[in-house]
């Protein structure tokens, strides 16, 4: 319907939602194509917020396609935009994704750098529940570096967070 009405904001939201579903299914090629279409539309519309959302998503797709160097390029662009706009929750998301991309590229120093940047941003600007994700990811970086002693406290903190929110969810389900 958005296409029939030439309603680009609706087209973009559809592309983002559908591409996310495709990425969750591991269909990164299809998700990438949709995000590249979103990038083109957002650029034409001069819609910076959606343009950099598309660039972030493209970077995530490249990670799924095992092309971390391409992914890094796109995520860094998105990170720069979010940092300039002071959208720190999104900077944290970019840092978490950059940690994974650099991990996949076996550049552990950069993975550590972005992981250490992501955690305080998640603590301050994202929900406590989501904090377990960068904690677990940083633990994987340490494990990959053969430093399990540094991974253990991160995993314990992540487990504590997950247990707390699992208990709260279970309590809500019973009420």
């Amino acid at each position: 319907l958005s296409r029939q009405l030439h309603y680009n904001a609706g087209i973009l939201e559809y592309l983002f939602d559908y591409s996310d579903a495709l990425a969750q299914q591991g269909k990164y090629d299809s998700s990438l194509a949709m995000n590249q279409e979103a990038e083109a539309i957002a650029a034409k519309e001069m819609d910076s917020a959606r343009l950099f959302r598309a660039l972030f998503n493209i970077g995530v797709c490249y990670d799924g396609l095992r092309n971390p160097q391409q992914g890094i390029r796109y995520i860094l662009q998105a990170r720069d935009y979010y940092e300039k706009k002071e959208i720190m929750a999104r900077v944290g998301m970019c840092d978490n994704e950059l940690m994974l991309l650099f991990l996949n590229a076996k550049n552990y120093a950069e993975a550590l750098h972005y992981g250490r940047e992501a955690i305080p941003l998640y603590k301050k600007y994202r929900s406590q529940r989501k904090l377990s994700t960068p904690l677990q990811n940083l633990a994987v970086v340490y494990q990959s570096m053969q430093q399990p002693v540094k991974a253990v406290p991160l995993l314990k903190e992540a487990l504590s967070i997950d247990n707390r929110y699992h208990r709260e969810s279970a309590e809500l389900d019973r009420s």
Side-chain angles (χ1 to χ4, degrees):
L1 181 59
S2 291
R3 287 193 195 280
Q4 289 173 350
L5 297 173
H6 305 287
Y7 178 58
N8 287 330
I11 295 168
L12 287 165
E13 291 306 314
Y14 161 78
L15 290 169
F16 290 137
D17 289 345
Y18 192 32
S19 69
D20 185 48
L22 291 168
Q24 289 180 20
Q25 296 171 29
K27 298 177 181 176
Y28 296 107
D29 285 328
S30 300
S31 181
L32 177 62
M34 295 189 93
N35 281 295
Q36 288 170 329
E37 181 182 351
E39 175 190 13
I41 294 169
K44 180 181 168 204
E45 293 291 313
M46 294 187 286
D47 185 338
S48 295
R50 288 187 176 106
L51 172 63
F52 288 97
R53 183 176 171 189
L55 294 179
F56 176 85
N57 291 348
I58 289 169
V60 171
C61 288
Y62 278 120
D63 189 23
L65 292 169
R66 306 287 186 245
N67 189 341
Q69 294 307 322
Q70 278 290 87
I72 290 166
R73 194 175 121 236
Y74 282 93
I75 300 293
L76 283 173
Q77 290 177 64
R79 186 188 191 286
D80 185 53
Y81 170 79
Y82 293 130
E83 192 168 48
K84 285 179 183 168
K85 293 288 185 178
E86 298 182 9
I87 306 171
M88 302 313 288
R90 296 270 176 166
V91 172
M93 287 175 50
C94 290
D95 287 348
N96 184 62
E97 188 61 34
L98 286 164
M99 173 176 34
L100 295 172
L101 286 159
F102 280 112
L103 173 65
N104 291 336
K106 300 196 182 334
N107 184 337
Y108 302 124
E110 288 296 314
L112 281 175
H113 167 75
Y114 284 105
R116 290 177 180 148
E117 294 288 318
I119 289 171
L121 291 173
Y122 267 69
K123 284 181 179 179
K124 187 169 182 178
Y125 298 104
R126 300 203 37 95
S127 72
Q128 186 68 24
R129 176 180 293 207
K130 293 180 180 181
L131 175 60
S132 70
T133 300
L135 290 168
Q136 291 173 55
N137 291 338
L138 187 56
V140 172
V141 173
Y142 281 121
Q143 286 287 91
S144 299
M145 297 173 64
Q146 308 301 314
Q147 296 181 21
V149 172
K150 292 182 178 179
V152 170
L154 297 168
L155 291 171
K156 285 182 179 179
E157 186 178 354
L159 181 61
S160 172
I161 291 167
D162 288 344
N163 283 338
R164 181 172 58 244
Y165 286 102
H166 177 72
R167 270 194 310 275
E168 288 175 9
S169 294
E171 290 168 5
L172 288 174
D173 290 342
R174 285 192 294 255
S175 49

